[in-house]
């Protein structure tokens, strides 16, 4: 089925042809007229923002050359097609840092060129969430675009010290560009630490499955006061239960900063089943040279440090194995991961434990999203005052 649409985009007539599948046409035909009537028309949308699936671009994905990952990478074109159709005043695209360099930068440059060809003003850059008040390092690539006649939002100023390198994008010709300055040498506020984020949360034991529990202490940092607000009870302070062997390993890991699998004693343990097994997994010491010494596996968080890279399934033998609570013998909880991303304690997550971790993992950390939103509000207010 072939369809043709004549669309006035920013004062220019564009003609688009596309081919829809039989299945797509059948599904579209089942949408009731009232629903269709409530959908916005081109020119009626002020703001479109989102992040196309990042798994295909992510360096953490061991299968980013698979067919499905390649399909996910191409979804960015589908996302840009919404801009073509709706002609929003403002547009914000977000993705992982590797989006900029993926496929030798061709996908990134295609996105920018597409927006520019449509007549939009464009600004791009990489921001570090920890510089905006998050307890973990999280680098995200952003693309702002605004229609002609609208002000282009500036980047928010980083407010927290972060001792990382300046995040630059190398443009064609070798020119380097940084959206915001590095805060490695100073900022108005210090970094948010693991202690700031989760230091006052009540203790829970391996196997605990209570979805709601009472707080047992008052907030001890301004960050804790901010995210708790007026909450009287804590939700989602739960985690996936460890098996007996991993629990024993966790109990043997010292409760000190940087402790990991290399701090385990080289001995065997007897399980309740009667089986005797090595406390240190065989693969860790035997192939460590090929895997950066398996750094961080079975690791404890440092109360005065930050959380590692966010993952959808925290586990001690995972790609990011530093997932043990600093002071308790267990994996970090859903709520602790949410605190590390800057979620308010009142925010509710849906589904099972892994679904909740995925919801936390996939977002732009709320403090960074808030900072970007304030910059958008500034230009909207300025446009209104100038009318």
């Amino acid at each position: 089925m072939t369809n043709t649409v004549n669309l006035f985009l920013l004062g220019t007539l564009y003609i688009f042809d596309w081919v829809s599948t039989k299945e797509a046409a059948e599904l579209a035909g089942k949408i009731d007229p009232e629903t269709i009537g409530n959908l916005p028309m081109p020119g009626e949308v002020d703001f479109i923002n989102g992040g196309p699936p990042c798994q295909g671009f992510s360096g953490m994905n061991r299968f980013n050359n698979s067919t499905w990952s390649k399909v996910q990478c191409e979804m960015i074109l589908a996302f840009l097609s919404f801009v073509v159709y709706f002609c929003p005043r403002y547009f914000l695209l977000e993705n992982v840092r590797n989006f900029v360099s993926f496929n030798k930068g061709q996908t990134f440059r295609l996105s920018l060129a597409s927006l520019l060809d449509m007549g939009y003003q464009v600004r791009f850059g990489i921001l570090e969430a920890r510089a905006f008040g998050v307890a973990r390092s999280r680098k995200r690539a952003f693309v702002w675009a605004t229609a002609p006649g609208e002000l282009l939002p500036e980047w928010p100023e980083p407010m927290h010290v972060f001792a990382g390198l300046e995040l630059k994008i190398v443009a064609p010709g070798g020119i380097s560009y940084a959206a915001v300055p590095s805060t490695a040498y100073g900022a108005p506020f210090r970094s948010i630490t693991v202690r700031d984020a989760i230091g006052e949360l009540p203790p829970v034991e391996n196997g605990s499955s209570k979805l709601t529990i009472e707080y047992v202490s008052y907030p001890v940092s301004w960050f804790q006061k901010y995210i708790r607000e007026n909450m009287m009870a804590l939700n989602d302070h739960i985690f996936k239960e460890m098996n007996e062997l991993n629990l024993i390993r966790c109990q043997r890991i010292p409760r000190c900063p940087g402790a990991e699998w290399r701090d385990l004693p080289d001995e065997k343990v007897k399980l309740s089943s009667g089986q005797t097994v090595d406390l240190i997994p065989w693969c860790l010491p035997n192939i460590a040279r090929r895997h950066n010494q398996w750094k961080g596996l079975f690791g404890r968080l440092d109360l005065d440090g930050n959380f590692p890279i966010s993952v959808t399934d925290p586990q001690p033998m995972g790609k990011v194995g530093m997932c043990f609570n600093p002071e308790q013998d267990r994996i970090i909880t859903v709520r602790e991961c949410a605190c590390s991303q800057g979620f308010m304690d009142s925010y509710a997550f849906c589904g099972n434990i892994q679904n909740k971790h995925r919801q936390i993992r996939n977002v732009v950390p709320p403090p960074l999203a808030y900072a970007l939103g304030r910059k958008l509000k500034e230009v909207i207010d300025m446009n209104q005052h100038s009318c």
Side-chain angles (χ1 to χ4, degrees):
M1 178 181 292
T2 301
N3 303 277
T4 301
V5 168
N6 296 334
L7 174 65
F8 279 97
L9 175 61
L10 307 176
T12 304
L13 177 63
Y14 285 75
I15 300 177
F16 295 91
D17 294 328
W18 75 86
V19 177
S20 60
T21 64
K22 179 181 178 181
E23 293 80 7
E26 290 177 351
L27 289 172
K30 294 178 181 178
I31 302 177
D32 62 90
E34 182 180 356
T35 299
I36 295 175
N38 290 330
L39 294 175
M41 296 298 292
E44 296 179 350
V45 176
D46 288 328
F47 181 41
I48 291 178
N49 78 291
C54 66
Q55 287 81 1
F57 304 117
S58 176
M60 293 292 293
N61 182 7
R62 290 174 290 184
F63 309 103
N64 56 11
N65 288 321
S66 67
T67 301
W68 176 237
S69 289
K70 292 177 181 178
V71 169
Q72 288 180 309
C73 291
E74 294 174 356
M75 288 182 186
I76 195 163
L77 300 177
F79 185 47
L80 290 171
S81 72
F82 282 88
V83 183
V84 175
Y85 184 78
F86 287 110
C87 314
R89 294 168 60 197
Y90 306 98
F91 170 75
L92 180 62
L93 183 153
E94 170 271 334
N95 217 291
V96 294
R97 179 185 181 181
N98 203 46
F99 167 63
V100 174
S101 57
F102 177 80
N103 193 23
K104 297 182 179 179
Q106 293 183 36
T107 304
F108 175 65
R109 291 198 296 269
L110 173 63
S111 302
L112 299 183
S114 299
L115 291 166
L116 291 169
D117 188 58
M118 286 186 275
Y120 278 87
Q121 308 166 76
V122 176
R123 174 172 283 138
F124 58 86
I126 300 173
L127 302 180
E128 166 59 75
R130 197 175 180 199
F132 295 89
V134 177
R136 70 161 19 115
S137 175
R138 189 154 173 83
K139 304 171 183 66
R140 312 301 285 179
F142 295 94
V143 176
W144 270 118
T146 59
E150 306 289 352
L151 295 175
L152 189 59
E154 297 283 350
W155 297 117
E157 289 291 331
M159 299 299 290
H160 293 260
V161 174
F162 178 73
L165 298 174
E166 194 169 45
L167 300 174
K168 296 182 179 180
I169 293 177
V170 180
I175 301 173
S176 296
Y177 163 73
V180 297
S182 170
T183 62
Y185 301 105
F189 304 108
R190 66 171 177 81
S191 301
I192 303 297
T193 66
V194 172
R195 189 190 307 273
D196 293 328
I198 66 172
E200 100 290 11
L201 296 183
V204 288
E205 296 181 354
N206 189 51
S208 177
S209 59
K210 286 187 177 181
L211 289 175
T212 302
I213 60 176
E214 299 293 324
Y215 291 103
V216 296
S217 64
Y218 293 103
V220 295
S221 71
W222 73 264
F223 182 82
Q224 293 167 10
K225 293 176 184 177
Y226 169 70
I227 64 173
R228 186 187 293 196
E229 293 183 303
N230 298 317
M231 290 289 291
M232 303 302 295
L234 185 67
N235 297 317
D236 291 324
H237 198 33
I238 54 176
F239 59 97
K240 190 166 63 174
E241 184 177 3
M242 287 188 290
N243 61 40
E244 182 184 8
L245 179 55
N246 280 341
L247 177 59
I248 294 173
R249 288 166 173 160
C250 181
Q251 293 168 341
R252 300 288 186 90
I253 296 290
R255 295 182 181 181
C256 60
E260 56 171 21
W261 71 270
R262 283 173 288 190
D263 296 295
L264 287 170
D266 186 9
E267 61 186 33
K268 295 183 180 293
V269 294
K270 189 173 184 179
L271 304 180
S272 58
S273 63
Q275 182 183 10
T276 300
V277 295
D278 292 324
L279 191 61
I280 301 177
W282 179 91
C283 67
L284 297 188
N286 284 282
I287 57 174
R289 289 184 180 181
R290 286 181 276 166
H291 297 275
N292 193 29
Q293 303 301 319
W294 296 112
K295 186 177 179 180
L297 264 63
F298 291 93
R300 286 196 186 276
L301 295 173
D302 179 0
L303 279 171
D304 296 317
N306 61 285
F307 286 80
I309 297 171
S310 178
V311 294
T312 55
D313 186 18
Q315 53 180 311
M317 282 285 284
K319 195 157 188 178
V320 180
M322 185 175 289
C323 61
F324 288 154
N325 183 277
E327 301 177 309
Q328 301 167 44
D329 295 326
R330 59 170 176 79
I331 292 174
I332 53 177
T333 67
V334 169
R335 181 52 57 184
E336 287 170 334
C337 287
C339 292
S340 76
Q341 290 274 63
F343 278 97
M344 308 299 285
D345 282 359
S346 59
Y347 196 93
F349 302 97
C350 302
N352 59 30
I353 289 178
Q354 190 165 356
N355 290 337
K356 293 177 180 182
H357 276 299
R358 182 175 289 111
Q359 292 160 39
I360 295 168
R361 160 69 174 81
N362 289 341
V363 303
V364 174
L368 175 54
Y370 177 74
L372 289 164
R374 289 195 62 173
K375 286 299 179 180
L376 175 60
K377 184 177 184 300
E378 283 181 12
V379 298
I380 292 174
D381 290 342
M382 291 174 67
N383 281 336
Q384 290 175 343
H385 292 322
S386 63
C387 294

